Structure formats: C-alpha cells, structure tokens
C-alpha cells in the first residue's frame, strides 16, 4: 500500500502476469530490467497426484495472494511473503454427491 502526497491510501501492485497450465504449474512473470521481455520469476503448482492441472489463476487486488482453480474443482491459494509464494489452505469439499454417511454416537 502506498500513501500519496494528499495522505490517500492507494494499492500498488508491481507489473506481473500469471499463467496457468495443464502441466500442474502456475508461473508468475515480471518484466526483465534489461530487455523488453517478460521472464518467469516464480513457479508454484502441484507435484504428483492425479490432478490434470489448472484452468486459471488470478492475483488479489494488492497482488499478495494468488488464487487458482484446478481441473477437479479445487481452489488453490498462495500468499507472497518476502518474495516467496507459500501455499495456503483453499476451499475444499466433495466434487460429487455424498452417497452414504454414518454418525458416531460418542
């Protein structure tokens, strides 16, 4: 967050792009200081498992959270802490209807 000369709080997000892929990776891109190219600075995602990658990804308005949706419906969240993207707990649940349930009386 930046406070301008008038004392107004403004959100500042550095120039970044995010791309998601079926290869289970999400790349965060930044402009290169020495060329007109964008380079991938960070890579997050999943390793192993039976997932089929990510459909999309989006930054929060302040640029410190990254939200992505996976092929199986899962929501994944990462938080930027000191230029390191750390996974956070996302929304979870069943992707199909529940067929059976039992209660433990204790």
């Amino acid at each position: 967050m930046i406070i301008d000369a008038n004392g107004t709080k403004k959100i500042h997000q550095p120039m970044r792009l995010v791309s998601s892929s079926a290869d289970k990776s999400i790349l965060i891109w930044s402009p290169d200081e020495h060329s007109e190219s964008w380079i991938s600075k960070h890579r997050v995602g999943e390793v192993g498992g039976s997932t089929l990658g990510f459909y999309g990804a989006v930054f929060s308005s302040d640029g410190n959270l990254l939200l992505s949706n996976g092929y199986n419906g899962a929501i994944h969240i990462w938080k930027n802490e000191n230029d390191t993207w750390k996974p956070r707990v996302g929304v979870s649940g069943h992707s199909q209807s529940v067929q059976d349930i039992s209660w433990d009386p204790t």
Side-chain angles (χ1 to χ4, degrees):
M1 186 169 301
I2 296 174
I3 300 177
D4 66 12
N6 298 325
T8 305
K9 293 180 182 178
K10 294 187 176 188
I11 293 175
H12 171 72
Q13 182 179 351
M15 286 183 41
R16 288 189 292 210
L17 296 173
V18 61
S19 62
S20 60
S21 174
D23 71 0
K24 303 181 188 179
S25 70
I26 296 173
L27 297 177
I28 300 171
W29 303 80
S30 296
D32 183 36
E33 298 173 9
H34 307 290
S35 70
E36 295 182 7
S37 301
W38 288 77
I39 57 173
S40 61
K41 295 278 190 170
H42 302 278
R43 181 185 187 103
V44 298
E46 293 185 334
V47 176
S50 60
T51 62
L52 297 173
F54 297 99
Y55 276 145
V58 64
F59 288 114
S60 62
S61 61
D62 65 0
N64 287 321
L65 289 175
L66 178 62
L67 179 93
S68 179
N69 61 313
Y71 175 81
N72 63 355
I75 301 294
H76 302 267
I77 301 172
W78 292 269
K79 184 175 183 179
N80 187 1
E81 295 178 1
N82 299 320
D83 208 30
T84 301
W85 290 90
K86 297 183 178 181
R88 293 291 179 248
V89 176
V91 178
S92 64
H94 300 288
S95 60
Q96 298 291 325
S97 62
V98 175
Q99 300 296 318
D100 191 16
I101 190 167
S102 64
W103 297 95
D104 183 347
T106 60

